[in-house]
Each structure stands twice: as C-alpha cells, then as structure tokens.
C-alpha cells in the first residue's frame, strides 16, 4: 500500500517526507485554497521538492469535458511527468477521461468517489486510480471502508488495472483496515500520517532501552563508543 500526503503546505510535506516512506502528494481545490495565491506557484514548489519520481495529483475544476481535457494538458505541461490529473467521476468527467485515453496522453485519477459503480465506470474509462472518500462516505451514513474494499474487489474480479487510492480519513485505524486488505494506496493528511505510528508505549520502551544502556556505559554513550 503506497502512502501519499493529502496536503499542499510545503513545510508539512517536507517534514513528513523526512521521516516516512512517501510515494507522492495529492491536492484538491480545497487544499489549494488553504494556501491561496497562484496554485501553480504552490504546485511547482511541491514538484521541485518531490522530484520527477514521485506522484503529484492535481484536480481539474472545469465543468465540461472539453475544458477538463484542456486543463489536464495544461496541468501536466506545467508540472511534468508523474503528474496525475484528478477528474471527478461523473458524466462530464467520464467523457474527459475517454478523450484523454483515446489520445493515450495523460494519467488521471478519478476523484469524488462515493459509490463503487462510479469507480467501476472510471476504471472502464481508463483511470489509473480511483479515489473513494472514506470518511465522507461514513458521514453520509454508509461505510467508507466497505466501499473502498468493494472497489478493490471490483477491480480485481474484473481484471482491471485501475488502483484504489483511498482518501478522506479521520483516524489511523481506518488506514490499517485498508492496509490489511491490500488496498493499492492511501492519501493522508499530515495529522493522520503522524498518527499512524504514535504510541507512548513505543516512546517509553525506547527511553528505557537508552537509559539501561547509559546506566552501564555512561551518559550519551552509544555503540559507537565501543569496539
Ligand atoms: O481529495 C479528497 C479528499 O482528500 C477529501 O478529504 O478530509 O476533505 O474529506 P477530506
């Protein structure tokens, strides 16, 4: 399961990347609104930091298919390889996806997914990823984890290459549940990312090991001080 960061604050992204294995960054218009200004200033800085190898997902905001396609080309032209254009999984979005696939151009992520059938259609339209919104689905009275797992199963049973990139989490337990069923990817806010491994028992176990070592070796001593 790949781990991506769902945020556009460069300093937060840098902090997470320093400590964790990160496959890329996802953004959406709401995330970009939190930064403000020219969105490409923000996105180019993120791309420069990530390099060409890591994924960057950026959403098109046009309402009609032809404009979505134009936006998609513009986004990839400015942000380069490994940029996935997020396209809402709805009729105009499906039309845009089909155009992009016909021209075999640009990889895209079907987004705003609340139902398995949206993901299935997007997969048939050639989406590289489908992004179910786990927590938002829960808040509608349905089960976001079940929807994400159903989508994964639909892709497997129908021999589709589309991968699930689950989004919208409220806690690390939801992430664990998807990890257990081998979901392809999740994208997490910095808070949830840090919460994946946040446990005072781990911290105190490590502290006891260090203080036991120092009790016989001396303060601040490590294995480097011995041959
Ligand atoms: O990009 C969509 C997804 O990240 C939404 O997350 O937390 O706003 O529900 P959230």
């Amino acid at each position: 399961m790949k781990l991506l960061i769902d945020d556009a604050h460069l300093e937060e992204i840098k902090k997470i990347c320093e400590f964790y294995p990160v496959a890329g960054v996802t953004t959406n218009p709401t995330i970009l609104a939190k930064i403000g200004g020219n969105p490409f200033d923000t996105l180019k800085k993120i791309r420069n930091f990530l390099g060409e190898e890591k994924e960057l997902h950026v959403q098109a905001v046009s309402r009609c298919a032809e404009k979505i396609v134009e936006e998609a080309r513009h986004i990839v032209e400015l942000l380069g390889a490994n940029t996935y254009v997020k396209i809402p999984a709805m009729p105009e979005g499906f039309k845009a996806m089909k155009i992009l696939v016909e021209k075999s151009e640009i990889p895209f992520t079907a987004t705003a997914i609340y139902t398995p059938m949206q993901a299935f259609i997007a997969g048939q339209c050639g989406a590289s990823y489908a992004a179910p919104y786990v927590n938002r689905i829960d808040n509608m009275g349905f089960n976001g984890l079940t929807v994400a797992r159903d989508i994964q199963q639909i892709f497997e049973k129908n021999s589709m290459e589309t991968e699930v990139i689950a989004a919208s989490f409220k806690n690390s337990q939801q992430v664990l549940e998807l990890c257990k069923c081998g979901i392809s990817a999740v994208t997490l806010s910095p808070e949830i990312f840090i919460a994946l491994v946040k446990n005072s028992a781990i911290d105190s176990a490590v502290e006891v090991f260090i203080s036991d070592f120092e009790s016989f070796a001396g303060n601040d001593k490590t294995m480097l001080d011995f041959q």
Side-chain angles (χ1 to χ4, degrees):
M1 185 177 80
K2 285 186 257 188
L3 301 169
L4 289 90
I5 305 170
D6 200 24
D7 199 81
H9 292 91
L10 187 59
E11 290 313 310
E12 293 292 316
I13 292 168
K14 284 182 178 173
K15 247 190 280 173
I16 303 288
C17 287
E18 186 180 354
F19 295 104
Y20 299 95
V22 173
V25 168
T26 59
T27 63
N28 64 35
T30 309
I31 285 171
L32 290 174
K34 290 179 188 153
I35 310 286
N38 178 340
F40 281 109
D41 288 346
T42 304
L43 292 163
K44 283 177 186 171
K45 283 181 195 151
I46 296 173
R47 170 52 83 204
N48 282 341
F49 172 70
L50 292 177
E52 283 181 0
E53 300 300 310
K54 291 192 163 78
E55 297 177 12
L56 178 58
H57 297 238
V58 178
Q59 194 160 332
V61 293
S62 297
R63 288 198 168 83
C64 81
E66 290 72 17
K67 282 276 170 200
I68 294 173
V69 169
E70 264 184 62
E71 262 191 276
R73 290 177 181 147
H74 183 63
I75 289 167
V76 170
E77 197 182 314
L78 291 183
L79 297 170
N82 260 326
T83 301
Y84 291 75
V85 178
K86 292 174 71 176
I87 301 176
M90 56 193 291
E92 287 292 330
F94 298 142
K95 182 174 170 186
M97 294 176 197
K98 284 180 350 125
I99 295 170
L100 287 173
V101 161
E102 262 166 40
K103 314 254 185 231
S104 62
E105 283 181 78
I106 286 165
F108 53 86
T109 296
T111 195
I113 290 187
Y114 291 83
T115 69
M117 196 45 82
Q118 275 179 286
F120 175 69
I121 302 290
Q124 293 287 352
C125 290
S128 300
Y129 287 107
Y133 290 180
V134 173
N135 195 46
R136 294 192 193 191
I137 295 169
D138 283 355
N139 284 335
M140 291 167 65
F142 300 97
N143 189 321
L145 292 178
T146 302
V147 170
R149 284 187 289 245
D150 284 352
I151 293 171
Q152 174 92 350
Q153 201 183 27
I154 285 168
F155 290 159
E156 282 168 10
K157 296 267 182 211
N158 288 276
S159 307
M160 292 162 76
E161 285 175 13
T162 311
E163 295 181 79
V164 177
I165 179 169
S168 180
F169 290 93
K170 73 166 185 296
N171 62 51
S172 59
Q173 185 61 26
Q174 294 172 319
V175 181
L176 176 62
E177 289 305 317
L178 293 184
C179 189
K180 286 197 288 195
C181 72
I183 219 101
S184 300
V186 290
T187 185
L188 310 172
S189 68
E191 299 72 37
I192 300 292
F193 222 117
I194 289 163
L196 293 180
V197 181
K198 193 177 179 189
N199 184 328
S200 57
I202 302 168
D203 298 338
S204 62
V206 173
E207 280 312 312
V208 168
F209 286 136
I210 293 171
S211 87
D212 284 349
F213 191 84
E214 289 182 334
S215 73
F216 70 88
N219 279 352
D220 294 329
K221 296 292 186 210
T222 70
M223 295 298 272
L224 289 172
D225 295 295
F226 297 89
Q227 300 285 340

